[in-house]
Amino acid sequence: MAVSSASKPPPLLGSPAKPARLPGWALAYTGLLLAWLAIEVLSMQGPLKGSGMLLIAVMSLGAIVFAILRYRPAHAWTWWLASAAFLLFLVGGVARVELHTLGNLSSNRPLLPDLVVMPGYILLGAALTGFSTVQTRGQHRTEGILLDGVMAGLAILALSWVYTIEPLQSESSALRVTIILAIYPTLSAALLVTTIRLALAHRSGPTIVYTTLLTAMSSMFVGDAFYMFAEIHELKVSSFVLDLPYSIAYLAAAACVLHPRMRELTNPVLEYHPRPLVARIAIVATSFLILPILLLRSNAQRSNQIVLMVILILLAISGLTRLIQALRDADRSHSALTFQAHHDHLTGLLNRQMIHDRLAELLRHLEDSKGMLAVLFIDLDRFKLINDMLGHGYGDQLLVEVAQRLEQSVGEGGLVGRIGGDEFLALLCDLPSADAAIGTAYAIRNCLRKPFILEDETYHIASSIGVAIANPELHPTPDSLIRDADIAMYRAKDEGPDAVVLFDTPMRTKVVERAELENDLHDALDRNQFHLLYQPVVELSTKRLVGVEALVRWSHPKFGELGPSKFIPLAEDTGLIVDIGHWVLKEALRQSAYWRAEFIELMDLQMAVNLSMVQLRSNDIVAEIKHILETLHLPGSALCVEITESTLMADKILAARELGELRLSGVHVAIDDFGTEYSSLAYLKTLPVDLLKIDRSFVDSLADHPS
């Protein structure tokens, strides 16, 4: 298991520091370089004279095989093809030295070394093709990389024909020999360009692995060019200079494979780096510029001109094919971008903007349509549970299946879009009546009721669906129609899971009123709009007042006096309940302290105040209550905090901890509205409770009910 450096303990003070160690690949590089230098020195004299490149090739090939077995990269067959290619290069090089082919342009020249080496280029090209196929994950992208290599090779072949083969033909050299000489730099140029394109395709740009591979391919190209000019007697250098590029190629190939990042060459690349575009333009432009230059330069006999023309035609065909492919790639990219701009990336449904645009178009032609237009706002009720239990990956899988079911339920006559999270919109056109929209909504609900299979387990979800019928006067814009469907959806949530609600105008009025109340609630405390009423608590046997309950009221400038049911839920949703609750506690206990001091019969009066779960979760509610009691010189028994049964059961552990601390301070605890929720006495054994306030629905008819 990998451990990050941040998680490792620091070394003990005074302990000796461990010396820094070079990574294995760095040691291998160093050994490779030292071995090369030693071989070069030994090959200058003594029994190893003239065999330096052979020893370097054997050493490098061994290093390549060792690295493949050591690092075990994915798609290792590509690496084995490359190692087989270098093995053929080694065997062919030995044969070339033993048969003394250098400079022999006659028909008696042995072709055995060429017959051995040529398949090596094919194997190396297949290895690079394998790298390209694995990385790009797209056949058309691989074809583009290979076409660039082919074009570069044909361009080099054309140059070689004009500047090498044609002059040699005038000297009566063997045609087959001169063609073979021209093919070597042609193949190595194609491999070099393919490697360049492969390196530039990597999203982080050329790394050390790509750099060493490029060095190997570049050295091969230089070596083939040197040998071609040496073969035709245009270049006279020592064998050491001729062998040097090939030695560097072997060493660079070994260095590439010895580095642990060699696995990059067989790891997929998700996206191209922008720079290959410049490289492709340069390759295509250079290849096409060669055409007129060579046609003007060549003065050979007609047969040779025909051959040159064939090469140039092949080059033109390659360039045209590359251009066609580039246009297809551009069209494919444009189509993909267009689809992404209009559709949700996960489900493939229309996205928010596109569904908005289509709805705007439908509203413009609403009067000309044959029937009604309806919008269905669909929300998944228990989707968060799936995300929390299984993770977002399975949540995404569920959304994809939900999208498929929605499209099946709506059919070809409607449109479905995902507007975010687990919310969807369906547009229904040319409906005969509102009942048809309601029917489709119920069909969607029933379809989503069917179980979903995730991770071999069965899961069920519910949906809340709001339906809004388009009206030209009420819905001048798409936003207004979507808003009304959204309002109906929230009403469906209030009515319970799997509910379908049709929008009507009073719903909007209530929503507007709620929004106005929520906005005004933020300033209500600062404007002193709250006041308290006190409901007496009387002991029936003695008719004595033993306590009061503080009830908060909001004097709204527009809607008049509002009870807690009108604004407490809003205060809890917005978090304002903490400030309002603090004011209620402070004001109620201040009033209690005044009554206790002024009236002897009220000196033991207990004040009851309601607490919400939001206040309990504020972490400082206990300290706040203690501070108010101490400031007003009141004992803990002067206060009784009331918490509803539903609030208590929302987080029993938190409630038990906070309320337990309050009881230790002498504060009494009461459960309000007991009997409306779980109505179980079992949990009272573990909860710090002093009083149970039975809900009025149980006692209203106590005297008259026969039970």
Side-chain angles (χ1 to χ4, degrees):
M1 182 177 67
V3 180
S4 66
S5 60
S7 64
K8 296 179 181 178
L12 297 175
L13 293 177
S15 61
K18 294 183 178 180
R21 297 179 58 186
L22 288 174
W25 61 268
L27 294 175
Y29 277 16
T30 305
L32 206 61
L33 180 61
L34 293 176
W36 178 32
L37 294 175
I39 289 172
E40 291 294 348
V41 171
L42 293 174
S43 64
M44 292 180 182
Q45 56 186 350
L48 296 179
K49 184 177 180 180
S51 59
M53 194 194 76
L54 174 62
L55 294 175
I56 290 172
V58 172
M59 178 186 67
S60 300
L61 190 58
I64 291 173
V65 173
F66 166 78
I68 296 173
L69 296 176
R70 171 69 176 82
Y71 296 127
R72 298 184 181 277
H75 306 282
W77 60 270
T78 55
W79 291 106
W80 289 118
L81 286 179
S83 61
F86 282 105
L87 177 61
L88 291 178
F89 296 156
L90 171 61
V91 175
V94 173
R96 182 177 292 156
V97 172
E98 293 297 326
L99 295 175
H100 305 287
T101 61
L102 183 63
N104 184 2
L105 303 178
S106 67
S107 58
N108 295 326
R109 172 190 172 105
L111 296 182
L112 178 61
D114 305 305
L115 295 177
V116 173
V117 173
M118 287 293 180
Y121 285 91
I122 297 174
L123 291 178
L124 191 53
L128 294 176
T129 303
F131 295 153
S132 173
T133 303
V134 170
Q135 288 202 348
T136 58
R137 283 185 175 178
Q139 182 179 356
H140 64 284
R141 291 177 178 173
T142 302
E143 291 173 353
I145 292 177
L146 295 181
L147 274 173
D148 290 342
V150 170
M151 291 175 61
L154 288 172
I156 296 297
L157 180 59
L159 287 171
S160 301
W161 186 273
V162 170
Y163 291 100
T164 303
I165 296 179
E166 284 185 356
L168 289 177
Q169 287 299 296
S170 63
E171 300 175 6
S172 302
S173 300
L175 179 61
R176 61 187 179 89
V177 175
T178 53
I179 291 177
I180 288 176
L181 294 181
I183 286 178
Y184 279 110
T186 298
L187 294 176
S188 56
L191 296 179
L192 174 59
V193 171
T194 302
T195 306
I196 293 173
R197 289 282 288 106
L198 188 63
L200 293 176
H202 197 268
R203 60 178 172 269
S204 60
T207 61
I208 185 171
V209 176
Y210 290 100
T211 302
T212 50
L213 184 61
L214 280 170
T215 302
M217 296 297 104
S218 301
S219 300
M220 279 186 58
F221 174 70
V222 172
D224 287 341
F226 276 17
Y227 252 94
M228 181 184 71
F229 288 117
E231 293 269 19
I232 64 176
H233 311 292
E234 293 290 334
L235 183 66
K236 295 182 180 180
V237 293
S238 65
S239 59
F240 172 78
V241 175
L242 285 177
D243 292 342
L244 182 61
Y246 293 116
S247 298
I248 295 175
Y250 276 110
L251 290 168
C256 172
V257 186
L258 283 172
H259 198 285
R261 294 185 67 177
M262 54 89 79
R263 299 187 185 95
E264 289 181 0
L265 291 174
T266 50
N267 288 338
V269 174
L270 300 181
E271 59 184 28
Y272 272 165
H273 199 268
R275 283 181 290 179
L277 178 61
V278 178
R280 291 199 299 270
I281 293 174
I283 292 170
V284 174
T286 303
S287 301
F288 277 106
L289 286 174
I290 288 175
L291 296 177
I293 295 174
L294 294 183
L295 287 174
L296 292 174
R297 175 67 180 81
S298 179
N299 296 314
Q301 56 185 347
R302 182 174 180 81
S303 59
N304 283 342
Q305 286 185 337
I306 292 175
V307 175
L308 179 60
M309 184 62 70
V310 171
I311 297 175
L312 298 181
I313 289 174
L314 291 176
L315 182 58
I317 292 174
S318 300
L320 183 60
T321 304
R322 190 69 184 92
L323 180 60
I324 292 173
Q325 189 194 53
L327 292 174
R328 287 179 177 175
D329 287 347
D331 183 64
R332 191 179 291 111
S333 299
H334 180 266
S335 299
L337 290 174
T338 301
F339 183 86
Q340 292 173 6
H342 295 161
H343 294 78
D344 175 57
H345 72 282
L346 175 64
T347 62
L349 299 177
L350 298 178
N351 60 17
R352 177 188 291 270
Q353 184 59 50
M354 192 59 183
I355 203 78
H356 183 279
D357 293 344
R358 297 299 298 273
L359 183 56
E361 183 180 353
L362 291 172
L363 286 174
R364 283 195 298 269
H365 299 90
L366 183 60
E367 295 182 356
D368 301 330
S369 61
K370 300 178 181 178
M372 295 181 174
L373 170 64
V375 170
L376 276 56
F377 201 115
I378 305 147
D379 182 85
L380 307 182
D381 292 333
R382 289 193 288 270
F383 175 72
K384 186 177 184 299
L385 181 63
I386 301 294
N387 266 348
D388 293 342
M389 291 175 57
L390 302 180
H392 289 277
Y394 288 98
D396 290 346
Q397 181 181 336
L398 176 67
L399 290 175
V400 171
E401 189 168 343
V402 166
Q404 294 172 353
R405 295 190 186 186
L406 290 177
E407 288 188 308
Q408 293 172 359
S409 300
V410 170
E412 297 181 357
L415 298 172
V416 182
R418 179 180 177 224
I419 61 173
D422 58 347
E423 295 180 337
F424 299 84
L425 279 183
L427 309 184
L428 307 179
C429 313
D430 298 329
L431 298 174
S433 64
D435 291 338
I438 296 294
T440 301
Y442 278 109
I444 291 174
R445 184 198 67 176
N446 295 336
C447 182
L448 296 179
R449 276 181 173 176
K450 297 177 182 178
F452 292 84
I453 308 299
L454 300 174
E455 206 180 26
D456 297 327
E457 295 290 339
T458 300
Y459 294 91
H460 297 267
I461 62 171
S463 59
S464 297
I465 304 177
V467 183
I469 307 298
N471 184 313
E473 296 180 358
L474 297 178
H475 306 118
T477 64
D479 291 332
S480 60
L481 184 55
I482 294 174
R483 177 200 59 202
D484 287 349
D486 191 12
I487 291 172
M489 184 274 293
Y490 274 103
R491 174 59 66 86
K493 277 188 173 296
D494 292 338
E495 293 188 1
D498 272 348
V500 175
V501 171
L502 178 65
F503 173 82
D504 58 24
T505 305
M507 289 184 193
R508 187 190 299 166
T509 303
K510 292 181 180 179
V511 169
V512 172
E513 179 181 315
R514 175 188 171 91
E516 189 173 348
L517 286 175
E518 181 176 324
N519 185 62
D520 293 342
L521 190 60
H522 286 79
D523 301 321
L525 268 178
D526 295 337
R527 295 175 178 175
N528 298 318
Q529 293 178 351
F530 290 112
H531 65 277
L532 296 180
L533 300 179
Y534 300 93
Q535 179 173 307
V537 179
V538 179
E539 188 179 67
L540 294 179
S541 59
T542 63
K543 305 291 176 47
R544 186 172 64 91
L545 180 68
V546 295
V548 293
E549 180 180 357
L551 305 175
V552 63
R553 296 292 185 268
W554 181 12
S555 299
H556 194 277
K558 179 179 178 180
F559 300 109
E561 186 168 297
L562 301 177
S565 61
K566 290 287 187 181
F567 63 87
I568 291 298
L570 288 176
E572 291 179 333
D573 290 343
T574 58
L576 293 173
I577 189 64
V578 175
D579 293 335
I580 296 174
H582 176 77
W583 178 86
V584 170
L585 271 170
K586 190 174 180 180
E587 180 65 20
L589 290 176
R590 185 194 62 78
Q591 184 65 54
S592 178
Y594 171 76
W595 283 335
R596 279 172 167 254
E598 289 295 321
F599 304 99
I600 297 178
E601 62 272 21
L602 298 181
M603 60 184 307
D604 294 326
L605 183 73
Q606 186 178 69
M607 177 66 67
V609 177
N610 289 281
L611 289 184
S612 72
M613 181 53 70
V614 178
Q615 290 175 274
L616 285 178
R617 287 174 176 159
S618 64
N619 296 327
D620 57 354
I621 184 65
V622 175
E624 177 186 332
I625 290 175
K626 288 181 179 180
H627 176 71
I628 296 175
L629 290 172
E630 291 174 1
T631 302
L632 297 174
H633 306 291
L634 291 175
S637 58
L639 174 65
C640 176
V641 295
E642 296 187 2
I643 184 169
T644 62
E645 184 182 8
S646 58
T647 300
L648 185 67
M649 299 308 296
D651 193 337
K652 290 186 289 184
I653 297 177
L654 173 67
R657 183 180 70 245
E658 298 295 322
L659 297 178
E661 289 189 32
L662 286 175
R663 285 193 76 205
L664 292 176
S665 302
V667 177
H668 288 200
V669 176
I671 296 181
D672 199 6
D673 299 333
F674 184 79
T676 57
E677 294 289 334
Y678 298 89
S679 305
S680 173
L681 297 175
Y683 60 76
L684 296 181
K685 297 179 181 179
T686 58
L687 292 175
V689 176
D690 296 294
L691 301 172
L692 293 181
K693 297 182 67 176
I694 306 299
D695 186 71
R696 64 182 299 170
S697 62
F698 287 89
V699 297
D700 274 348
S701 57
L702 191 61
D704 304 324
H705 202 280
S707 65

